[in-house]
């Protein structure tokens, strides 16, 4: 076999294996049950998990995979309505790991951020179960 073809096939095989590993690996490896407790202590004052139930903040039912600022019966800040984000686990991690006013200047959300990495992973795992 031609050495260039052999090298190309080898690289393609490695790329497929790496891609399969990335798809099989969870974006967040938290404990959803522990995350429910984190939600209660960090989020429940302002957010509900029941679909259609808004509090100071919008319902977080179905948050993972939802476009930011898209709950129709909640009045978001202009900053969040204009955000191009979709709430992926990675975006939630970025947003929740820092003060909201830094993550999204102009937001109405008053939150200082969750700096404990395990609690953050647990919380995002829990949020991912809400559907």
């Amino acid at each position: 076999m031609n050495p260039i073809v052999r090298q190309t096939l080898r690289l393609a095989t490695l790329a497929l294996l790496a891609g399969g590993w990335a798809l099989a690996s969870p974006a967040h490896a938290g404990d959803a049950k522990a995350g429910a407790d984190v939600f209660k202590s960090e989020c429940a004052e302002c957010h509900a998990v029941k679909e259609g139930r808004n509090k100071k903040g919008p319902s977080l039912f179905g948050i993972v995979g939802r476009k930011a600022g898209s709950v129709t019966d909640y009045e978001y800040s202009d900053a969040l309505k204009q955000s191009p984000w979709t709430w992926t686990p990675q975006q939630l991690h970025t947003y929740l790991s820092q003060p909201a006013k830094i993550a999204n200047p102009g937001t109405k959300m008053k939150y200082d951020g969750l700096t404990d990495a395990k609690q953050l992973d647990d919380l995002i795992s829990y949020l991912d179960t809400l559907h």
Side-chain angles (χ1 to χ4, degrees), residues 19 37 79 81 121 127 129 131:
D37 292 333
K81 283 192 288 191
D121 284 344
L127 293 175
T129 69
H131 50 274

Side-chain angles (χ1 to χ4, degrees), residues 43-45 87 89 91:
C43 314
E45 180 180 334
W87 293 121
Q91 185 62 53

